[in-house]
Amino acid sequence: MAGSRVPRQLFLQGVAAVFMFAFASLYTQIPGLYGPEGILPARRTLRPQGKGRWQQLWETPTLLWEAPLLGLDTAQGLELLSLLGTVLALGALLTRQLRHPLVYLLLWAAYLSVCQVGQVFLYFQWDSLLLETGFLAMLVAPLGLPPNHKQAPQGRPGGVSPHEGLPFWLVRWLLFRLMFASGVVKLTSRCPAWWGLTALTYHYETQCLPTPAAWFAHHLPVWLHKLSVVATFLIEIAVPPLFFAPVRRLRLAAFYSQVLLQVLIILTGNYNFFNLLTLVLTTALLDDTHLAAKSSTSRRKRMPSSWPKALLAMLTLLLELAVYGLLACGVVHYFGLEVDWEQHVVRSRTMFTFHQLSQWLKTVTLPTMWLGAASLAWELLTALWRWVQVRGSLRKLCAAVQLSVFGTATVALFLISLVPYSYMEPSSHGRLWTGAHRLFSTVEHLQLANSYGLFRRMTGLGGRPEVVLEGSYDGHQWTEIEFMYKPGNLSRPPPIVVPHQPRLDWQMWFAALGPHTHSPWFTSLVLRLLQGKEPVIRLVQNHVPSYPFHQQPPTYVRAQLYKYWFSHPWEQGQWWRRQWVEEFFPSVSLGDPALDMLLRQFGLQDKSPPRAGGSSNTLSQALHWVRKQLSPLEAPALLWGLLGAVGAIKVMQALLGPQSLPRTKEEKHKPAPQEDSVAASKQASPAPNISSGSQTPRRKKSP
C-alpha cells in the first residue's frame, strides 16, 4: 500500500491557504457588515442570558464572549480573530513546524467563533465545509514534527505511526459526501433544467458572479451544454464510489475527473474559496508513489517478475477496463447518447423517470454507507497491523494509546456524518442507528458534520433577476448605485475576484430571487445608505470617490428589479443586456414611516449604543491602525498580494535549499535504509494494491 505522507502535507498546506483566504476576505468586510455602523451590527447577536459561563460557551461556541475582557466590542473582536487567523494560517502554510494539531484547532475555533455571529452573511455551505475540513485537519496534522527522510525508528516502518491513515480517510469520506450529494440533489429537486439537461444554458449567466470566461462558455452550442450536464452527473454521482476502489489507478482517475470539474468551475465562476477547498479535499485520493518523480528505469524495476504478480496485474487491468466500460455503457443508456453524423452533434436526453430515480436512491443510499463502513474497517485493520509491527514496549504502548484515541474519534465522526448524509433519502435517514442520531444532535452546533448539495435548482430561467439600487436628492432625478462586483453597468465586463467572497454582493443575488421582505437585512442596507455610513459605502465601492453620493448622502433611496442576460456576440462593447421588471423596494427617506415600520418589523432598530471605552484601549487602537493601513486596498488585491508573498517566500526557500546539500549528499550515499523502509512499509500493509481512500441545511443557502 502506497503511503500518504506527501498528500497529507499537501492537504494541511491547502487547508491553511483556504483559512488564510477566508479570514482575510472576511476581515475586509467586517466594518460594513458587522460594525456599529454596519448592516447587521454583531453586538446584537451576543446577549448574555444569565447562564453559566461554560454553558453559555457550549450553547453558543464563540471566543467573542471574551472580547469585553480585552476592552473590545464584538466587531473589534471579529477583526482581532480574523487578523490572528490570517497570520496563523499564513504561518502554517509557510512553516512545517506550525502544521500542528493545536494550530488547526485554533483556526477551527476562530472560524467557528466568527460563524456564530456572522448571521445571514455567513450562512453558506462552503463556510460549513471549511469548518468540517478544518476540524479534520486538526486530526490529520502530526503530533510531532514530520520525520525527515532518515532511517525510521526501529519498529516503525517508514516512520509511519499506525493511526496516521485514519483521520485522512475521513477527508476522503467528506469528499464523497460532498460530491455524491451535490449530484443527487440536482435530480431530487425536480428542477426541469437539470432533468432536461439544459441547466448550463442558463447557469453561466445566472450564477452569482460570473467571470469573463462565462460569457464565452454561455455561447457554446446547446448540444455541448447538454453533454456537459451529462458529464457533471457522471463525475458527481457515478465516479465518487471509485474513491474507495481497491485499484489505485481507478482512484487516480477519479481524482483527475474531480480536478477537471473544479478547474472548469473556477474558470467560469467566482466561487470564492469553495472550489479551492474542494481541490484540497481531493488530495485524499493521492499517494506518495504517484506524487514522487520516478524515472522510467525505476518503473521498469517495478514490473512484475513472477507469474502470480503478472496474473494479478492482468486481472487488475481487466477490472479497470470493466469499470470504464460499465460507466460508458451506463451513460449511453441512461442519457440516450446518440451521434448525429449529419449535424456533427451528440444528442442526449434523460431516459429515466423521477420514480425510477427515487427507487434507485432508496436502493443505493444504505449500501454507500456500508461501502464507507467497509473502507473504514479496512483502514482500522491496516492500522492495527501496523501497530503489531511496532517494536519496543514503550513505543508500542504510545502507539496503542494514539491508535485508540484516533480510532475512536474516526469512528465517532463517521457515525455522526451518516445523519446529514442520509438527509437526501428520508427513508434511509429514519433507518439509521439511533445512537448516530444522538451523537449528531449533541455536537450539531459545532458543525463537525454537515449536509451538502450545491446548485440544487437552476434559477433565472427567464433571465437573471438583478436588484439595482438608486439614489436621488429630489425624488425625480435618480442615479444608479453600482456595486464593485455584481452585474450593473451593461458595458462593464464581469470581474475576477476569486478567492475573495464579496458577501453583500452574494446576498444581493439571493435577495433578487424573492420580495425584499424575505431579506430583512436589505432594509438595513437602505438605511445605512441614507445615513451615508462609510463602512457600508466601502462594501459597495471601496474607492469612495467612485460612489455617486460620496459628498452628500442621497435624500431618497429605492431599488428596481431587472432581468439581465449576456449580450449577443454581435453586440459590440456590451457584456449585458437588461429589461426592467418592477419596483423592488419603494422610495424612502430618513424618518419615512414606511422605513421605520420595516425596521421595527424586522427588529433592526438599533437602540443599544456601542460600548464605551473600547476606542481608548491600546489593542483597539492597534486594530484601528491596521485597518487604516489596509482599507485603501481592494479585497481581491489584498488576497492576491498574500498569495504573491507566499509564492515569493517559497521561491526563496527553494533558492536557499542548496545550502543543505552536504547533508543531503551524505544521506544519498545511504540508499539502503530508505529502500528497507519502503519494503517494511509494504510488509506492514495487508494487501499491496488496496487502500481506502442531501439535502442542504435549512439555514444555509446555495446557488
Side-chain angles (χ1 to χ4, degrees):
M1 180 188 301
S4 61
R5 179 181 299 163
V6 177
R8 286 200 303 272
Q9 285 299 314
L10 288 177
F11 169 74
L12 293 174
Q13 290 183 75
V15 172
V18 174
F19 266 124
M20 180 184 70
F21 291 140
F23 279 120
S25 173
L26 182 63
Y27 171 78
T28 63
Q29 305 171 76
I30 288 174
L33 295 179
Y34 305 117
E37 298 180 343
I39 299 173
L40 295 176
R43 67 173 180 269
R44 300 174 183 169
T45 60
L46 294 182
R47 307 278 190 182
Q49 303 294 327
K51 300 178 181 178
R53 183 177 185 179
W54 294 109
Q55 181 183 359
Q56 183 175 261
L57 184 61
W58 173 254
E59 293 179 357
T60 308
T62 174
L63 299 174
L64 294 172
W65 287 116
E66 310 303 322
L69 298 179
L70 300 176
L72 305 177
D73 61 23
T74 307
Q76 291 172 325
L78 276 172
E79 291 193 17
L80 179 62
L81 282 179
S82 298
L83 284 174
L84 292 178
T86 302
V87 173
L88 197 59
L90 178 62
L93 178 59
L94 294 174
T95 309
R96 203 172 193 179
Q97 287 81 354
L98 286 179
R99 291 171 211 150
H100 189 273
L102 179 59
V103 171
Y104 288 96
L105 174 62
L106 292 174
L107 290 172
W108 172 80
Y111 205 72
L112 179 65
S113 300
V114 168
C115 288
Q116 293 299 312
V117 301
Q119 304 168 79
V120 69
F121 294 108
L122 278 163
Y123 285 177
F124 292 94
Q125 291 192 51
W126 35 80
D127 293 313
S128 297
L129 181 63
L130 180 55
L131 283 172
E132 186 170 350
T133 306
F135 191 82
L136 295 184
M138 180 191 68
L139 299 177
V140 172
L143 293 173
L145 289 180
N148 296 321
H149 299 286
K150 299 178 181 180
Q151 187 172 359
Q154 187 178 13
R156 290 180 59 188
V160 177
S161 297
H163 72 275
E164 286 184 356
L166 294 178
F168 202 44
W169 178 90
L170 287 172
V171 178
R172 186 180 303 188
W173 173 245
L174 172 57
L175 178 65
F176 171 80
R177 290 192 289 118
L178 172 67
M179 301 310 301
F180 188 74
S182 295
V184 166
V185 299
K186 291 176 174 60
L187 295 172
T188 56
S189 67
R190 302 196 185 198
C191 174
W194 285 115
W195 278 88
L197 306 182
T198 58
L200 292 184
T201 61
Y202 308 103
H203 165 73
Y204 296 114
E205 73 175 1
T206 61
Q207 60 183 322
C208 179
L209 296 176
T211 65
W215 186 93
F216 296 96
H218 175 74
H219 290 94
L220 292 173
V222 174
W223 70 267
L224 188 55
H225 284 311
K226 299 179 75 172
L227 193 62
S228 299
V229 173
V230 173
T232 301
F233 285 135
L234 172 67
I235 294 173
E236 292 187 343
I237 298 178
V239 170
L242 297 182
F243 297 169
F244 309 105
V247 179
R248 177 173 165 270
R249 286 193 295 264
L250 288 176
R251 297 195 302 274
L252 294 177
F255 164 78
Y256 284 109
S257 68
Q258 303 303 317
V259 169
L260 174 64
L261 177 62
Q262 299 306 318
V263 169
L264 290 176
I265 296 176
I266 291 173
L267 292 176
T268 57
N270 289 289
Y271 289 96
N272 50 82
F273 58 79
F274 166 64
N275 303 109
L276 300 176
L277 181 55
T278 306
L279 287 173
V280 171
L281 293 177
T282 61
T283 57
L285 302 176
L286 297 174
D287 54 53
D288 291 339
T289 304
H290 183 67
L291 294 175
K294 299 291 184 180
S295 64
S296 57
T297 305
S298 62
R299 286 174 183 169
R300 284 195 295 269
K301 289 180 180 179
R302 293 202 307 267
M303 293 296 291
S305 56
S306 60
W307 72 264
K309 292 183 179 180
L311 178 61
L312 181 60
M314 180 61 67
L315 292 176
T316 300
L317 178 60
L318 291 176
L319 177 60
E320 289 181 57
L321 295 176
V323 170
Y324 297 141
L326 183 63
L327 290 175
C329 291
V331 169
V332 172
H333 175 73
Y334 288 109
F335 293 99
L337 297 188
E338 296 178 353
V339 179
D340 188 333
W341 298 106
E342 295 183 359
Q343 301 293 328
H344 298 93
V345 301
V346 178
R347 304 195 183 279
S348 55
R349 63 188 184 278
T350 306
M351 303 294 291
F352 52 91
T353 65
F354 182 80
H355 175 72
Q356 290 173 326
L357 172 71
S358 300
Q359 293 302 118
W360 173 83
L361 196 56
K362 289 180 181 179
T363 303
V364 304
T365 301
L366 283 178
T368 55
M369 297 182 192
W370 284 112
L371 173 65
S375 179
L376 176 56
W378 178 259
E379 288 292 331
L380 289 169
L381 289 175
T382 302
L384 187 61
W385 176 254
R386 286 174 176 162
W387 175 78
V388 171
Q389 307 303 307
V390 175
R391 299 175 185 174
S393 301
L394 184 58
R395 287 200 184 100
K396 206 175 188 71
L397 178 61
C398 292
V401 172
Q402 292 179 357
L403 181 58
S404 301
V405 172
F406 284 90
T408 302
T410 301
V411 172
L413 288 173
F414 173 70
L415 290 175
I416 290 170
S417 70
L418 294 179
V419 177
Y421 171 69
S422 63
Y423 286 163
M424 63 183 181
E425 210 292 292
S427 64
S428 299
H429 179 72
R431 293 161 61 186
L432 276 181
W433 178 47
T434 56
H437 286 281
R438 287 196 297 268
L439 276 174
F440 177 74
S441 60
T442 302
V443 299
E444 182 178 7
H445 63 297
L446 299 178
Q447 300 191 51
L448 302 183
N450 305 278
S451 61
Y452 303 101
L454 294 159
F455 306 104
R456 170 189 300 274
R457 297 189 65 87
M458 197 54 56
T459 60
L461 300 188
R464 68 172 291 150
E466 198 67 56
V467 174
V468 176
L469 280 161
E470 297 176 338
S472 172
Y473 291 120
D474 57 10
H476 300 288
Q477 299 294 326
W478 294 90
T479 302
E480 291 189 7
I481 299 175
E482 187 174 355
F483 283 64
M484 286 184 288
Y485 308 117
K486 81 180 195 68
N489 190 328
L490 302 182
S491 60
R492 190 187 66 176
I496 298 177
V497 300
V498 67
H500 172 57
Q501 181 180 359
R503 294 182 181 267
L504 177 58
D505 294 64
W506 268 88
Q507 286 302 330
M508 290 288 289
W509 183 82
F510 284 112
L513 302 179
H516 72 84
T517 52
H518 290 178
S519 304
W521 60 267
F522 190 85
T523 303
S524 182
L525 171 63
V526 170
L527 173 66
R528 296 309 192 195
L529 294 178
L530 287 170
Q531 295 172 337
K533 299 300 184 182
E534 184 175 326
V536 176
I537 291 174
R538 286 188 175 275
L539 295 177
V540 179
Q541 285 291 340
N542 189 67
H543 184 56
V544 175
S546 300
Y547 180 68
F549 302 98
H550 66 278
Q551 293 182 341
Q552 180 183 348
T555 307
Y556 302 93
V557 169
R558 71 181 185 184
Q560 306 289 344
L561 183 66
Y562 287 84
K563 286 295 182 73
Y564 273 65
W565 299 269
F566 273 140
S567 62
H568 296 296
W570 59 81
E571 295 178 296
Q572 298 296 324
Q574 282 196 331
W575 289 83
W576 299 96
R577 53 192 176 90
R578 73 180 185 181
Q579 179 181 346
W580 181 84
V581 178
E582 63 182 358
E583 184 179 68
F584 181 80
F585 193 91
S587 173
V588 295
S589 60
L590 289 177
D592 191 312
L595 178 61
D596 292 339
M597 182 190 69
L598 287 172
L599 292 172
R600 285 194 304 269
Q601 178 182 342
F602 299 135
L604 295 173
Q605 285 186 319
D606 195 0
K607 298 180 180 180
S608 57
R611 292 170 183 166
S615 59
S616 62
N617 183 284
T618 304
L619 181 56
S620 65
Q621 290 178 352
L623 292 172
H624 177 73
W625 182 85
V626 173
R627 171 69 61 187
K628 186 176 180 180
Q629 304 306 310
L630 297 178
S631 59
L633 293 175
E634 287 193 20
L638 176 61
L639 269 62
W640 295 336
L642 283 172
L643 185 60
V646 170
I649 294 174
K650 289 289 187 181
V651 170
M652 291 297 295
Q653 290 176 341
L655 292 177
L656 296 176
Q659 293 180 358
S660 61
L661 277 177
R663 188 192 311 174
T664 304
K665 289 180 179 179
E666 291 175 6
E667 292 174 358
K668 286 184 178 179
H669 289 306
K670 299 179 181 179
Q674 189 173 0
E675 293 175 359
D676 291 342
S677 65
V678 173
S681 63
K682 291 182 179 179
Q683 292 176 0
S685 305
N689 291 324
I690 301 178
S691 74
S692 72
S694 99
Q695 190 163 328
T696 59
R698 281 181 240 174
R699 75 182 186 93
K700 298 180 183 66
K701 295 180 179 178
S702 66

